Amino acid sequence: MSDVRVHPERLAAVTEWDYEADVVVVGYGVAGAGAAIEAARAGADVLVLERTGGWGGAAALSGGFIYLGGGTALQQALGFDDTPENMERFLMAALGPGADEVKIRDYCQGSVEHFDWLVAQGVPFKEEFWGEPGWEPPADQGLMFSGGENAAPYNTLATPAPRGHLPQMADKHTGEKGGGFMLMKPLTDTAAALGIRAEYDVRLQRLIVDDSGRVTGVVAKRYGKPVYVRARRGVVLATGSFAYNQQMVEAYTPLLINRPAAAIEEHDGIGILVAQALGAQLAHMDAIEVAIFADPQLMARGILVNGRGQRYIPEDSYPSHIGQSTLIRQANEAFLIIDESALEEANNSVSSSAAMRSVPPTWVAESVEELESDIGFPAGVLQATVEVYNRHAKDGADPLLGKKTQWVKPIGAPLAAYDLRNRTGGFTLGGLRTDLDSRVVHVSGDPIPGLFAAGRCTSGISAGGYVSGASLGDGSFYGRRAGRTAAGS
Amino acid sequence: MSDVRVHPERLAAVTEWDYEADVVVVGYGVAGAGAAIEAARAGADVLVLERTGGWGGAAALSGGFIYLGGGTALQQALGFDDTPENMERFLMAALGPGADEVKIRDYCQGSVEHFDWLVAQGVPFKEEFWGEPGWEPPADQGLMFSGGENAAPYNTLATPAPRGHLPQMADKHTGEKGGGFMLMKPLTDTAAALGIRAEYDVRLQRLIVDDSGRVTGVVAKRYGKPVYVRARRGVVLATGSFAYNQQMVEAYTPLLINRPAAAIEEHDGIGILVAQALGAQLAHMDAIEVAIFADPQLMARGILVNGRGQRYIPEDSYPSHIGQSTLIRQANEAFLIIDESALEEANNSVSSSAAMRSVPPTWVAESVEELESDIGFPAGVLQATVEVYNRHAKDGADPLLGKKTQWVKPIGAPLAAYDLRNRTGGFTLGGLRTDLDSRVVHVSGDPIPGLFAAGRCTSGISAGGYVSGASLGDGSFYGRRAGRTAAGS
């Protein structure tokens, strides 16, 4: 951090511009692409600055989920009922406490239009639903439950509707031709067709402000040399999370120290820092997405116990909820207990994360008592847990946690356990506070003139909870807003 | 928040000063008092601005714990061995993850001297130890375990030493003549004797900066009128937490929405906001102290179960650890299960929170099965928990959680349960990042010239965990540093 100099530069000190545009977008991931396209459509001359050698950001490397609902064309085509109000009810429960109700309502109300917009830019979605437990669909299915909508307790709070919309992959899951790539390719093609310029290998250093405090450009660096970029109407920050800024992770999300996942090393928090240097307000800096590296098809068919041998979450939950609960509330300790027949059934199921099943169980035993001793639990602890589970499972019920009947079966013998301690990782969700027009808000409550932001350098719809597709979702949604507002300012 | 205008004022815009001093201290709690005294001793002309009608802040209304160790005179007089290294080992385990090791080491190394300094200012400590479970001693005892040092798992990580140093009360527990009052009275008397001026009913509005970015004063408000105060050497922010700033609580510590405790309404985050407006860096904004409103003498003699009927923490833990664990990790749901004989024993014990015992149990039953049903747990859940506990308790052991043998006894019948759901409250621990000299750090990593801070408007030694006395401790400790550094700058 010692070489970071994020103090704003005074406009009067700039003698020459290397580039000029109406709207300067920093970062060419999904938020930047959305901002660039909408700014250009609103009549602005747009320049995108990207620190790597090409477009894509974390989005292009991701699975590609976009969390949308309220009755999108894809939901309707596949026979799922949903309304903006139903979606809002679910998200307020799943993303809180402290979730921004106004922003979530706004997002839910605009969700159908946003899906149509993505399709209009050329993002392909296959009309096929995938209903099995999993992190992603196993192939190119376009719709999936991606936030635990159909798991307890959420299935009692709102009508479950799948909202994970996935661009149709041309080849494999992630990377080139994966879902994220197939989202970003049409967006950047669209941007190019609109005449939007992009400069690569350009790294943001600081913002330029005039005497009134208005942001009028950025100072960047390219191959070690300073680059001065003038923004006549505004700067849009779309620089991603702080998952790879060690000091910020220690200060805000210490549970993620040494365990970043689903993030890219470019996510060093620079967009947050340059805005903070102007007095920007932050929100939900502790919020994290957490993956647990285990196959959901396995987890749903067993029981998960914590370091005390106790169940703590319905095993058919959205796997990131399992990850969050394990890391945040169970000291990052989990064990998956599963009997031989359930294990066999799981191993015969289809899953996008089947590779995670290639690891054999850590322990196998002829009885729960033996397994309990092998794992090292105090005598009686795991036996008590299994006894209570089996007592109700014989009736297909899970009154303790509400796992769905289809996954509830008494645990028999022989049985096995997977050691899932320290098997989580994730990325940061907190960042700049923005208003519904994607203006960066100052600690005074006023917007900072000329400064806009979207994507994971902002605090979006999540206040701590998570659903897969929330980041590409609010990034693209509020990226578009940022572009439109910046162009009009 | 809409009327908050925390933008810095330009020095050039100030035409007249209402007050001038070398060092201006904002807030007359324990951090402000420490800063004022040390700045004056270092030769500075000091002015304290306090928004209420008198000195004291949250400190004067508190119980008065100051967390100190490493072999203080009081620890030694009462026969307790401790070293700075042992204290550091404990605090790194209890206050992390993400705890600032450099700051904690600094605090532990300076702890003995700080105790002597407090005594030298006239703060009285009675040479008597209190060793029973409790939030505070029942009378005017001067030393107590106040952070779970002697409870699992901490008693296996460092040699337990009591470090809760309590000023001797003249009368009752809190308020006038309580421990906090008896801390603040000698400090403010000392300040007055040093000729330190204090102005009351003066509310901080914004900082004044010169063209180089140096803080040179504050704009405040008194009875609705602006007050301009010049600080020739520096401004020390000692304005307390943000526990009563609704927007900040929603954004950073949503678990505390509508449940502030052990804080005062003046703790509205203003010191954090005015510094953020200058680009100040923050840390650990999610960290919270959490009290659970129950008598530790009762809790130690029963078992605490969560909303799933499972034990989750040694019941003889430092009660704030029980509070944090309950609110943060157990969805704010707890039930205390205790049998008749243990309840009788607890009711005959001495406790500072005996008043909390005047509430009768929520449920009484002849058997665990009956109690389980009365509470509404699924059949078998609580029975399993009690069976496992009793299985080991008959040998005086608690292998699951490590409660100390003296509190471990099988639970018999008849028995009772207290409903402790939603019985927590607390205050915020996060805030401005400061260096060891109490300089406020900019997001660039540089100190902000002329700006210092201490107390709960800063992120102190806690990164999320807590020990009683950490706030008065690091507030007074780094308050002194702030005063010295500001006077010398």
Side-chain angles (χ1 to χ4, degrees):
Chain A
M1 292 298 294
S2 60
D3 64 335
V4 173
R5 288 290 173 268
V6 296
H7 290 279
E9 181 71 87
R10 288 175 47 244
L11 177 62
V14 180
T15 53
E16 209 173 18
W17 298 107
D18 295 287
Y19 299 97
E20 299 194 30
D22 293 332
V23 174
V24 173
V25 177
V26 188
Y28 213 170
V30 75
I37 291 169
E38 294 288 69
R41 288 236 172 84
D45 168 44
V46 180
L47 171 64
V48 183
L49 305 178
E50 163 60 38
R51 63 183 277 175
T52 71
W55 53 259
L61 300 171
S62 76
F65 273 119
I66 308 151
Y67 198 86
L68 297 169
T72 65
L74 188 62
Q75 286 180 314
Q76 289 190 32
L78 291 169
F80 291 101
D81 286 332
D82 196 10
T83 64
E85 293 71 28
N86 185 51
M87 180 182 179
E88 180 184 331
R89 212 154 35 234
F90 169 73
L91 286 180
M92 282 303 293
L95 300 180
D100 185 335
E101 192 170 358
V102 174
K103 192 171 265 186
I104 286 180
R105 179 164 304 149
D106 177 58
Y107 183 78
C108 293
Q109 294 288 336
S111 190
V112 165
E113 184 277 339
H114 191 54
F115 176 78
D116 294 339
W117 182 86
L118 289 167
V119 171
Q121 311 315 304
V123 182
F125 295 92
K126 186 176 177 185
E127 286 187 6
E128 189 179 338
F129 171 70
W130 176 253
E132 293 285 309
W135 287 99
E136 294 169 0
D140 61 352
Q141 293 88 350
L143 190 66
M144 184 171 164
F145 286 102
S146 73
E149 300 82 355
N150 59 339
Y154 307 106
N155 54 7
T156 66
L157 304 174
T159 306
R163 301 192 187 96
H165 290 63
L166 210 72
Q168 186 171 10
M169 290 160 249
D171 189 359
K172 49 193 169 180
H173 255 88
T174 52
E176 203 166 332
K177 311 281 176 75
F181 180 89
M182 295 305 286
L183 169 66
M184 288 305 298
K185 183 75 169 65
L187 294 183
T188 50
D189 283 350
T190 299
L194 287 166
I196 291 164
R197 294 170 290 153
E199 292 292 333
Y200 297 97
D201 301 306
V202 178
R203 295 178 61 152
L204 173 64
Q205 302 286 301
R206 50 173 83 185
L207 297 169
I208 300 169
V209 292
D210 68 16
D211 286 343
S212 76
R214 184 186 173 85
V215 175
T216 54
V218 310
V219 185
K221 206 175 247 189
R222 187 182 229 169
Y223 310 130
K225 284 185 192 151
V227 178
Y228 292 86
V229 184
R230 183 177 176 194
R232 292 183 209 99
R233 300 191 201 171
V235 170
V236 178
L237 298 170
T239 52
S241 83
F242 63 89
Y244 276 92
N245 181 311
Q246 181 74 12
Q247 192 190 57
M248 291 177 77
V249 167
E250 285 175 7
Y252 296 121
T253 60
L255 293 174
L256 283 189
I257 291 173
N258 297 327
R259 52 181 81 251
I264 56 176
E265 291 191 18
E266 288 77 15
H267 280 199
D268 63 359
I270 183 66
I272 298 172
L273 295 172
V274 296
Q276 278 189 274
L278 299 185
Q281 186 56 293
L282 305 175
H284 301 298
M285 294 303 283
D286 62 314
I288 51 177
E289 183 273 351
V290 184
I292 183 163
F293 303 108
D295 180 28
Q297 290 276 26
L298 267 182
M299 293 193 286
R301 290 173 170 85
I303 61 168
L304 284 167
V305 300
N306 61 18
R308 299 185 295 272
Q310 304 158 333
R311 290 180 70 216
Y312 58 95
I313 191 163
E315 293 82 2
D316 60 349
S317 291
Y318 166 51
S320 271
H321 288 168
I322 296 177
Q324 288 188 323
S325 186
T326 302
L327 177 60
I328 300 170
R329 288 181 281 280
Q330 311 300 335
N332 211 13
E333 298 194 331
F335 301 89
L336 175 65
I337 315 296
I338 187 166
D339 69 21
E340 191 177 47
S341 70
L343 182 57
E344 199 178 304
E345 191 183 293
N347 281 333
N348 287 327
S349 69
V350 178
S351 172
S352 67
S353 47
M356 292 180 184
R357 301 193 304 228
S358 62
V359 185
T362 319
W363 300 276
V364 292
E366 291 303 316
S367 69
V368 177
E369 189 175 3
E370 186 190 329
L371 187 65
E372 171 181 270
S373 164
D374 289 349
I375 296 176
F377 285 128
V381 164
L382 187 62
Q383 294 176 74
T385 297
V386 173
E387 271 165 33
V388 171
Y389 180 74
N390 283 354
R391 174 180 182 156
H392 299 281
K394 65 175 165 33
D395 307 320
D398 177 23
L400 190 65
L401 292 164
K403 180 158 72 164
K404 290 190 294 295
T405 299
Q406 68 183 113
W407 307 116
V408 175
K409 244 188 243 179
I411 295 171
L415 74 172
Y418 287 85
D419 186 348
L420 300 180
R421 289 175 293 189
N422 298 307
R423 293 285 295 277
T424 56
F427 58 88
T428 64
L429 300 172
L432 301 171
R433 179 187 282 273
T434 52
D435 66 15
L436 298 186
D437 294 319
S438 298
R439 298 180 294 188
V440 175
V441 177
H442 186 267
V443 286
S444 67
D446 303 325
I448 297 175
L451 191 62
F452 310 87
R456 262 317 45 85
C457 66
T458 69
S459 175
I461 57 174
S462 167
Y466 199 66
V467 295
S468 277
S471 287
L472 300 184
D474 71 21
S476 54
F477 188 90
Y478 288 105
R480 293 176 60 201
R481 286 279 175 83
R484 283 204 295 271
T485 315
S489 67
Chain B
M1 291 294 295
S2 60
D3 66 333
V4 174
R5 287 289 173 270
V6 297
H7 290 280
E9 181 70 86
R10 287 174 51 244
L11 176 62
V14 180
T15 53
E16 209 173 17
W17 299 107
D18 296 286
Y19 299 97
E20 299 195 31
D22 294 332
V23 174
V24 173
V25 176
V26 188
Y28 213 170
V30 76
I37 291 169
E38 293 289 68
R41 290 236 172 84
D45 169 44
V46 180
L47 172 66
V48 184
L49 306 177
E50 164 59 38
R51 65 183 275 177
T52 70
W55 53 260
L61 300 172
S62 76
F65 273 119
I66 308 151
Y67 198 86
L68 296 168
T72 64
L74 187 63
Q75 285 180 313
Q76 289 190 34
L78 292 169
F80 291 101
D81 287 333
D82 197 10
T83 64
E85 293 70 29
N86 184 51
M87 180 182 178
E88 180 184 331
R89 212 153 37 236
F90 169 74
L91 286 180
M92 282 303 293
L95 300 180
D100 184 334
E101 192 169 358
V102 174
K103 191 171 266 186
I104 286 179
R105 178 164 306 148
D106 177 58
Y107 183 77
C108 294
Q109 293 289 335
S111 189
V112 166
E113 185 277 338
H114 190 55
F115 176 77
D116 294 340
W117 182 87
L118 289 168
V119 172
Q121 311 316 304
V123 182
F125 295 91
K126 185 177 179 186
E127 286 187 7
E128 188 178 339
F129 171 69
W130 177 252
E132 294 285 308
W135 287 100
E136 294 170 1
D140 61 352
Q141 293 89 349
L143 191 65
M144 184 172 164
F145 286 103
S146 73
E149 300 82 355
N150 59 340
Y154 306 106
N155 53 8
T156 66
L157 305 173
T159 306
R163 302 193 185 94
H165 290 62
L166 211 73
Q168 186 172 9
M169 290 160 249
D171 189 359
K172 49 194 168 179
H173 255 89
T174 52
E176 204 167 331
K177 312 284 177 71
F181 180 89
M182 294 306 285
L183 168 66
M184 288 304 299
K185 181 76 169 66
L187 294 183
T188 51
D189 283 350
T190 300
L194 287 166
I196 291 164
R197 295 171 289 152
E199 292 292 335
Y200 298 96
D201 301 306
V202 178
R203 294 178 63 151
L204 173 63
Q205 301 285 303
R206 49 172 84 186
L207 297 169
I208 299 170
V209 293
D210 69 15
D211 285 344
S212 76
R214 184 184 173 85
V215 175
T216 55
V218 311
V219 184
K221 206 176 248 190
R222 189 182 225 169
Y223 310 128
K225 284 187 192 148
V227 177
Y228 293 87
V229 183
R230 183 177 175 195
R232 292 182 209 99
R233 301 191 200 171
V235 170
V236 178
L237 299 171
T239 51
S241 82
F242 62 90
Y244 277 91
N245 181 309
Q246 181 75 10
Q247 191 189 57
M248 291 177 76
V249 167
E250 285 175 6
Y252 296 121
T253 60
L255 293 174
L256 284 189
I257 292 171
N258 296 328
R259 50 181 81 252
I264 56 176
E265 291 191 17
E266 288 77 16
H267 280 199
D268 64 358
I270 183 67
I272 299 172
L273 295 172
V274 295
Q276 277 189 275
L278 299 185
Q281 186 55 293
L282 305 175
H284 300 299
M285 295 302 283
D286 63 314
I288 51 177
E289 184 273 351
V290 184
I292 182 163
F293 303 107
D295 180 29
Q297 291 276 27
L298 266 183
M299 292 193 286
R301 289 173 171 86
I303 60 169
L304 283 167
V305 300
N306 61 19
R308 298 185 294 274
Q310 305 158 333
R311 289 180 70 217
Y312 59 95
I313 191 163
E315 292 82 1
D316 60 348
S317 292
Y318 165 52
S320 271
H321 288 167
I322 296 177
Q324 288 188 322
S325 186
T326 302
L327 177 60
I328 299 170
R329 289 181 282 281
Q330 311 299 336
N332 212 13
E333 298 194 330
F335 301 88
L336 174 66
I337 314 296
I338 189 165
D339 68 20
E340 191 176 47
S341 69
L343 183 56
E344 198 176 307
E345 193 183 292
N347 282 333
N348 288 326
S349 69
V350 178
S351 171
S352 66
S353 46
M356 293 180 184
R357 299 191 308 227
S358 62
V359 184
T362 319
W363 299 275
V364 291
E366 292 303 317
S367 69
V368 178
E369 189 176 0
E370 186 190 327
L371 187 64
E372 172 181 270
S373 163
D374 288 350
I375 297 175
F377 286 128
V381 163
L382 187 62
Q383 294 176 73
T385 297
V386 173
E387 271 164 33
V388 172
Y389 180 75
N390 283 354
R391 173 180 182 156
H392 300 281
K394 66 176 163 35
D395 307 320
D398 177 24
L400 189 66
L401 292 164
K403 181 158 70 165
K404 291 190 294 295
T405 300
Q406 69 183 110
W407 307 115
V408 175
K409 245 188 244 179
I411 295 171
L415 74 173
Y418 287 85
D419 186 347
L420 300 180
R421 289 176 292 188
N422 298 307
R423 293 285 295 275
T424 57
F427 58 88
T428 64
L429 300 171
L432 300 171
R433 178 187 283 273
T434 53
D435 66 15
L436 298 187
D437 295 319
S438 299
R439 298 179 295 189
V440 175
V441 178
H442 186 267
V443 286
S444 67
D446 304 325
I448 296 175
L451 190 62
F452 311 87
R456 263 313 51 82
C457 67
T458 70
S459 174
I461 57 174
S462 167
Y466 198 67
V467 295
S468 278
S471 287
L472 300 185
D474 72 19
S476 53
F477 189 90
Y478 288 105
R480 292 175 60 201
R481 287 279 175 82
R484 283 204 296 271
T485 315
S489 67

